[in-house]
Amino acid sequence: MTGSTPAILLVDDEPHSLQAMKMALEDEFEILTAPGAEEAMAVLEEEWVQVIFCDQRMPGRSGVEFLTEVRERWPETVRIVITGYTDSASMVAAINDAGIHQFIAKPWHPEQLLAVARNAARMFQLSRENERLTLEMRFLNSTTETRVEKRRRSLREGMGFETILRAPNSAMNAAVTLARQYASFDVPVLMTGEPGTGKTQMARAMHYGSLRSEKPFYELNISGMPEDLAMVELFGAKRGVLPGGVAKIGLAQKADRGTLYLAGIEGASPALQLALHRMLRDGVVTPVGGQEAVSTN
C-alpha cells in the first residue's frame, strides 16, 4: 500500500461487478481486486488490507466461508458482505462465524457503497488505535484519569453519536438528544423507524456513550428468522439439542453487562416476545432444551 490511503479488497467472480465497485471507490481508496476466495487470500498475504467487500455467492467457497477464515487470520480487517438475497441462516452464520460488520443488498448505489467504505475505514483506524491504547494501559497503575484514559474516552466518543451524520437543523438532532439521555440510564430502549434510517448505528452510538462501553456490543436481525433459530441464537442451547451434540451460548449471555441490539423485533413470534419480556423483566433466560434459568444483564 502506498502512502496513507486505506486499501480495500473487492472480491467478486463477476468482472462487471468488480469494475463497478472499483469505479465507485477508487477516487478515495487504493483498490485491490480478486475474482474468488483463493485469489483474495493471495492478495491478503501480500498487501495490508483494511476493508473487504465480498460477494456472498461465488464458485467454490461462499463469501461467509471466505470471511470466516479472514477473521481468524486477519481479525482487524473490517468485513462486509454484498448479497442479492436474504437467507436468515447465512446471515446468522455471517454474524457469528465471520464477524460481518455490515450487509449490503443488491442493487447498491455508488454513494451508499462509498459511505459504507468510509465508515469501515474509520472503524479500522479506531480499532487499531484502541489496541494500541490497551497495550499502553497495561503499564499504567494510576487510578486517576491519565492521558491514555482520556484518549480512550475520546476514542469511545468517536465511535458514538459523532458518527451519525446530519445537517445542523436536522430532525435527527432531537432523536440524538434523546438517545444521549437514555444512554446514561441502565434501561432497555426501543427504537422505531423506517428501514435504512440508521437504527443500528444509533444503537451502537448509545452503547459507546453508556457505562457499558467497555463491555461487548452484539447485534442480531431476527426479521424473517424462524422462531427456533432465533431462540437458539439469542438464548443458546443445551448439549444434545443441536447437531454434533455441542452446547451453544446465546447472544443474551455473551452480551452480559454489555449491549444486545435486536433488529426486526416487530416480527418476533408471541413465544419469542414472552422470552424477551422475561429477560428484560427478570434478567434471566433459559437455553433451548434446558430447564435452569441463566441470569444476564
Side-chain angles (χ1 to χ4, degrees):
M1 186 182 70
T2 59
S4 59
T5 304
I8 294 180
L9 174 59
L10 309 176
V11 187
D12 197 316
D13 62 305
E14 298 182 3
H16 71 276
S17 295
L18 280 179
Q19 184 62 27
M21 288 191 288
K22 182 178 181 180
M23 291 178 62
L25 303 175
E26 62 184 356
D27 287 346
E28 295 189 21
F29 302 95
E30 178 183 351
I31 303 300
L32 306 167
T33 62
E38 298 305 321
E39 295 85 351
M41 279 296 179
V43 172
L44 290 168
E45 290 173 353
E46 297 293 332
E47 303 286 346
W48 189 48
V49 174
Q50 286 95 325
V51 183
I52 298 177
F53 285 84
C54 183
D55 188 41
Q56 166 61 0
R57 283 189 168 178
M58 298 186 297
R61 281 190 288 175
S62 69
V64 169
E65 292 171 340
F66 161 64
L67 292 177
T68 299
E69 183 176 349
V70 171
R71 183 185 192 181
E72 295 174 355
R73 299 181 60 182
W74 299 279
E76 73 279 2
T77 302
V78 180
R79 300 165 294 276
I80 300 168
V81 164
I82 299 177
T83 180
Y85 69 106
T86 301
D87 181 342
S88 59
S90 296
M91 292 172 65
V92 170
I95 295 170
N96 290 342
D97 300 335
I100 298 302
H101 166 61
Q102 189 169 349
F103 289 88
I104 298 180
K106 296 180 180 180
W108 46 263
H109 189 276
E111 288 298 323
Q112 174 199 16
L113 200 72
L114 185 58
V116 171
R118 289 168 177 166
N119 288 337
R122 176 60 175 160
M123 176 174 289
F124 179 90
Q125 294 171 358
L126 290 170
S127 177
R128 297 281 293 188
E129 176 71 4
N130 190 45
E131 289 178 4
R132 187 178 66 80
L133 293 177
T134 299
L135 291 174
E136 289 184 22
M137 287 293 290
R138 293 179 181 176
F139 299 96
L140 297 175
N141 297 319
S142 173
T143 58
T144 60
E145 186 176 56
T146 63
R147 176 179 60 87
V148 175
E149 288 171 333
K150 290 179 180 179
R151 294 185 67 182
R152 284 180 67 106
R153 178 161 51 83
S154 176
L155 175 63
R156 291 196 301 268
E157 292 172 353
M159 297 181 71
F161 294 101
E162 289 75 12
T163 64
I164 301 176
L165 302 179
R166 57 195 187 279
N169 298 321
S170 171
M172 278 292 292
N173 292 338
V176 170
T177 298
L178 278 176
R180 285 183 184 274
Q181 177 182 351
Y182 283 118
S184 64
F185 295 93
D186 211 8
V187 296
V189 176
L190 173 67
M191 289 189 292
T192 61
E194 296 296 323
T197 52
K199 295 187 292 297
T200 301
Q201 188 177 17
M202 183 76 83
R204 192 180 297 273
M206 293 181 71
H207 170 74
Y208 284 107
S210 74
L211 295 176
R212 296 172 175 257
S213 60
E214 295 291 338
K215 299 300 180 180
F217 175 91
Y218 287 94
E219 59 180 289
L220 179 67
N221 189 338
I222 62 175
S223 178
M225 186 179 296
E227 177 186 294
D228 56 347
L229 179 59
M231 289 283 196
V232 169
E233 291 301 321
L234 286 171
F235 309 128
K238 300 295 289 184
R239 188 182 304 275
V241 173
L242 300 177
V246 296
K248 180 180 178 65
I249 299 177
L251 293 181
Q253 287 179 260
K254 291 182 179 181
D256 187 30
R257 294 182 296 165
T259 301
L260 173 59
Y261 170 65
L262 297 181
I265 190 70
E266 68 278 3
S269 67
L272 181 55
Q273 290 184 45
L274 286 173
L276 290 172
H277 182 259
R278 182 189 181 210
M279 180 181 72
L280 296 175
R281 182 193 61 195
D282 303 328
V284 295
V285 297
T286 301
V288 176
Q291 299 295 329
E292 297 182 1
V294 180
S295 62
T296 183
N297 181 356

